[in-house]
Amino acid sequence: MLNYAHRGASAYRPENTLAAFDRAADLGAQYVELDVQRTADGVLVVLHDDTLLRTTNAASAFPDRPSWTVADFTVAELQTLDAGSWFDIRYGGEPIPTLAEVLDLLRRRDLGLLLEAKSPDKFPGIATQIADELLTQRWMFRAGAARLVVESFDADFIREFRTVLPRVTLGLLGSPEIAQLESWSRVADQINPHHLGLTQDYVDAIHEHGMTVNPWTADDPADIARLTALGVEGIITNTPDRI
Ligand code: G3P
Ligand code: CA
């Protein structure tokens, strides 16, 4: 069973921060899941929401901005923000990391990466940009050592990424109809659905088409046990210590 720490060990540390990814390694995760977006000046950064309001102090730090959309801020502006205090004052000052900073941590902690391209339709060219940045990390591509999965809800992005980096493991997020699984099996290696309502028939159908199943986001031990009994290959969780 693969243990994917969702936004890092996000039950215990502020999501999508270096602190959360570091803790995921301590708690036995094999992979960290994270969300990639792009700044106004073209840098790949790690943050879930398309605005900064929920997880940073952007509204008080930049009160005069017309909006707090991530893509309207430069990386220098983002790096002045506090992405930790909203979760717990103990993590005050924890920054929004760049993808490059996270990749460096993953190499040091021997963690794999489940990279979600978040709303890639808003960021023209982001498939190639993500690929170029990943290719700087040769350790991720070592033969026999699967250290990288790229996933998205965006079907067009998955199809494009398949042509950009053909040998990287690709996951489609969501639950396509069983009738569509055959065609998806020509593009994707994983189908990663929400865990609620996942059935044995659906898991079996994905397996019959040669793909793996890695549902999200299961933290409750009863849910984890149910998914294990269904035969999923991995679980995306905020609590990697429970897998
Ligand atoms: O990796 C799957 C999961 O992260 C998708 O949902 O909203 O947490 O990005 P979300
Ligand atoms: Ca995600």
Side-chain angles (χ1 to χ4, degrees), residues 40-226:
D41 52 343
V43 177
L44 298 178
V45 291
V46 175
L47 196 90
H48 179 270
D49 297 5
D50 62 351
T51 84
L52 296 157
L53 294 175
R54 181 177 62 89
T55 59
T56 81
N57 61 333
S60 56
F62 295 96
D64 301 327
R65 298 291 274 259
S67 86
W68 291 279
T69 302
V70 177
D72 292 341
F73 282 70
T74 65
V75 68
E77 289 173 332
L78 291 185
Q79 287 182 323
T80 66
L81 295 176
D82 173 357
S85 291
W86 71 275
F87 182 83
D88 190 310
I89 197 66
R90 279 179 295 171
Y91 305 107
E94 189 70 36
I96 295 171
T98 63
L99 178 60
E101 289 168 337
V102 178
L103 293 174
D104 189 50
L105 175 78
L106 299 186
R107 183 180 47 74
R108 285 189 279 108
R109 297 299 322 259
D110 192 26
L111 277 166
L113 172 61
L114 173 57
L115 183 154
E116 181 185 348
K118 191 54 97 183
S119 305
D121 55 311
K122 291 190 200 148
F123 305 107
I126 199 168
T128 305
Q129 185 176 0
I130 289 171
D132 288 347
E133 189 147 339
L134 293 173
L135 285 169
T136 66
Q137 308 291 317
R138 301 204 66 81
W139 60 277
M140 285 189 140
F141 298 90
R142 244 178 261 136
R147 310 302 290 161
L148 174 62
V149 182
V150 174
E151 66 172 3
S152 186
F153 287 101
D154 187 311
D156 291 337
F157 172 88
I158 295 297
R159 291 193 195 93
E160 183 183 356
F161 206 88
R162 176 57 78 211
T163 67
V164 174
L165 276 186
R167 292 170 65 186
V168 165
T169 302
L170 283 182
L172 178 70
L173 282 165
S175 304
E177 298 291 325
I178 285 181
Q180 296 173 347
L181 291 176
E182 183 175 358
S183 88
W184 271 113
S185 70
R186 287 182 230 122
V187 184
D189 307 288
Q190 301 183 349
I191 300 291
N192 297 343
H194 194 280
H195 75 95
L196 288 176
L198 189 62
T199 64
Q200 191 70 65
D201 284 350
Y202 194 67
V203 171
D204 291 347
I206 294 169
H207 287 162
E208 280 159 19
H209 288 94
M211 297 179 284
T212 68
V213 193
N214 304 274
W216 45 277
T217 304
D219 298 342
D220 187 306
D223 290 327
I224 292 167
R226 184 178 59 86

Side-chain angles (χ1 to χ4, degrees), residues 1-4 27 30 218 224 235-237 239-243:
M1 175 69 73
L2 292 173
N3 184 343
Y4 296 94
L27 297 180
Q30 288 132 332
I224 292 167
I235 295 178
I236 302 171
T237 180
T239 54
D241 51 321
R242 294 185 188 161
I243 302 296

